[in-house]
Amino acid sequence: MLLNNALQHSHELMARALKPGDRALDATAGNGKDTLHLARLIGSTGEVVAVDIQKQALDNTQNLLKKENLINQVQLIEGNHAQIDKLTSGSFQVAVFNLGYLPGGDHEIITEPESTLRALKKVMPMIRPGGLITLVAYHGHPGGKNELTALEKFLPSLDQKKVAVLQYSFINQAGDPPVLFALEVLEGADYLDP
Amino acid sequence: MLLNNALQHSHELMARALKPGDRALDATAGNGKDTLHLARLIGSTGEVVAVDIQKQALDNTQNLLKKENLINQVQLIEGNHAQIDKLTSGSFQVAVFNLGYLPGGDHEIITEPESTLRALKKVMPMIRPGGLITLVAYHGHPGGKNELTALEKFLPSLDQKKVAVLQYSFINQAGDPPVLFALEVLEGADYLDP
């Protein structure tokens, strides 16, 4: 395919935003695919902080990163990303959210609009100017539409002098393909305090 | 900026879709910036067909392409792109629409929703499988919103087995930033006959 899907485009943007030695946050470790991509980009001198509320997700992520010999540059944290300020500190060049349920896990456990927005608002001030937040919203499951709607309502309200918000989506496809939102914290802007 | 604007992303997609020797259509030559980009990509063995309804636009395009020594691989056609089937023939790898008014020209002369859709429907069957159509809609002028609405209504109706339709837009910006629609005609699909 010529056109990247939402996940591929998010990975391309991460690659553009990160260099070796940077610090990145995976706010939804899931099965570790984003963590792996981030770990490759920041290299052995950087750090990825990977958070998930489900132990199974962190186990899967740990196994994947060990297999790829990249676990040394990854810190795994079990906890609720809506309390990210209590789980980690410092600043990040990139933060990543993958919204929905854990593939292969319990489909009843999903990210919820309120905690997603709370997490996002806490992550925003942690991102360095010039940095990036990606959110890929899988909205085909029950509750997924609510989360997408909450993002579509909140994100346009962000100050364009501080952040640029891109929406990237396929508009003629059945099966609710994921939607990408990419937030670039502008150079010269202060840290974001929504 | 990390994130490309709509025009930059359209140019990146054209670069991904075209190789030397290909044939491309600029359905709205304007001041020739897209024609120039296409002419560089298809090289001296390819051909760009550049159409515009305004003589001033074609003069500007001709001057730009002459200055850049790329006019030999460009065919300029004065005419209405809604009658594209009477102006040119054969197939194209890429077709490009820039919707709005001619920058620096008469702002009363704008692309209109009906003729834009008519042109698009005539161009679609001319695109080879694996090829691309980009539409960048400048909708800040009177009438621009109608054209955007017409596209947002028409494009989701296209058969996903034949074409993938991407919408790429910034959602927190005043001043109506342009919206990109990118249509990839899928490999294995027949030529499109909407």
Side-chain angles (χ1 to χ4, degrees):
Chain A
M1 284 274 295
L2 190 66
L3 299 175
N4 284 332
N5 67 28
L7 189 67
Q8 289 167 332
H9 195 62
S10 79
H11 278 208
E12 198 170 298
L13 293 176
M14 292 172 209
R16 217 180 282 181
L18 287 170
K19 56 182 193 314
D22 279 343
R23 205 159 169 253
L25 172 66
D26 187 344
T28 51
N31 287 325
K33 288 189 179 168
D34 287 336
T35 308
L36 176 62
H37 184 60
L38 294 169
R40 285 185 175 134
L41 292 168
I42 52 95
S44 57
T45 58
E47 185 191 35
V48 181
V49 176
V51 175
D52 209 290
I53 201 166
Q54 295 187 68
K55 185 164 186 314
Q56 188 197 336
L58 290 175
D59 289 347
N60 295 351
T61 299
Q62 187 172 42
N63 290 339
L64 181 62
L65 274 285
K66 271 187 179 163
K67 211 180 84 185
E68 301 285 340
N69 280 320
L70 290 164
I71 194 69
N72 287 343
Q73 56 229 50
V74 177
Q75 188 195 356
L76 299 167
I77 300 178
E78 191 177 336
N80 184 342
H81 61 197
Q83 290 157 358
I84 191 74
D85 50 332
K86 299 198 173 67
L87 303 176
T88 186
S89 61
S91 67
F92 297 93
Q93 196 64 28
V94 166
V96 172
F97 291 79
N98 230 314
L99 305 173
Y101 53 78
L102 178 66
D106 182 350
H107 290 200
E108 299 285 306
I109 305 174
I110 57 172
T111 53
E112 299 277 358
E114 271 179 44
S115 66
T116 297
L117 287 188
R118 206 173 310 135
L120 178 59
K121 287 176 188 173
K122 285 188 176 171
V123 165
M124 286 168 69
M126 302 172 102
I127 304 299
R128 303 171 71 89
L132 175 77
I133 301 174
T134 63
L135 303 113
V136 175
Y138 294 82
H139 56 101
H141 59 282
K145 283 277 167 302
N146 283 346
E147 191 168 45
L148 182 62
T149 305
L151 288 168
E152 286 176 336
K153 195 174 160 190
F154 171 67
L155 294 174
S157 74
L158 294 174
D159 183 351
Q160 72 177 99
K161 293 194 194 76
K162 294 184 171 182
V163 63
V165 183
L166 169 69
Q167 180 165 356
Y168 183 103
S169 52
F170 287 85
I171 60 174
N172 73 323
Q173 297 181 358
D176 303 311
V179 175
L180 166 66
F181 298 96
L183 284 64
E184 178 176 353
V185 182
L186 300 176
E187 293 284 359
D190 256 343
Y191 286 87
L192 288 172
D193 196 4
Chain B
M1 286 274 295
L2 191 66
L3 299 174
N4 284 332
N5 66 29
L7 189 67
Q8 288 166 333
H9 194 63
S10 79
H11 277 208
E12 199 170 297
L13 294 175
M14 292 172 209
R16 217 179 283 180
L18 286 171
K19 55 182 195 314
D22 279 343
R23 204 159 172 253
L25 171 66
D26 187 344
T28 51
N31 288 324
K33 288 187 180 169
D34 287 336
T35 309
L36 177 62
H37 184 60
L38 295 168
R40 284 184 176 135
L41 293 167
I42 53 94
S44 57
T45 57
E47 185 191 35
V48 180
V49 175
V51 174
D52 210 289
I53 201 166
Q54 295 186 69
K55 186 164 185 313
Q56 187 198 335
L58 290 175
D59 289 346
N60 296 351
T61 299
Q62 187 171 42
N63 290 338
L64 180 63
L65 274 285
K66 271 187 180 164
K67 211 179 85 186
E68 302 285 339
N69 280 320
L70 290 164
I71 194 69
N72 287 343
Q73 56 228 51
V74 177
Q75 186 195 356
L76 299 167
I77 300 178
E78 191 176 337
N80 183 344
H81 60 197
Q83 289 157 0
I84 192 74
D85 51 330
K86 299 198 172 70
L87 303 175
T88 185
S89 62
S91 66
F92 297 93
Q93 195 65 28
V94 166
V96 172
F97 291 79
N98 230 313
L99 305 173
Y101 53 78
L102 178 66
D106 182 350
H107 291 198
E108 300 285 305
I109 305 174
I110 58 173
T111 53
E112 301 277 359
E114 271 179 45
S115 66
T116 296
L117 287 188
R118 206 171 311 136
L120 177 60
K121 287 176 188 174
K122 286 188 176 172
V123 164
M124 286 168 70
M126 303 172 101
I127 304 299
R128 302 171 71 89
L132 175 77
I133 302 173
T134 64
L135 302 114
V136 175
Y138 294 82
H139 56 102
H141 59 282
K145 282 278 167 301
N146 283 348
E147 191 168 45
L148 182 61
T149 304
L151 288 168
E152 286 176 336
K153 194 173 161 192
F154 171 67
L155 294 174
S157 75
L158 293 175
D159 183 350
Q160 72 176 98
K161 292 196 195 76
K162 294 184 170 182
V163 63
V165 183
L166 169 70
Q167 180 165 357
Y168 182 103
S169 51
F170 287 85
I171 60 173
N172 73 323
Q173 297 181 359
D176 303 312
V179 174
L180 166 65
F181 298 96
L183 284 64
E184 177 176 353
V185 182
L186 299 176
E187 293 284 359
D190 256 342
Y191 286 87
L192 288 171
D193 195 4

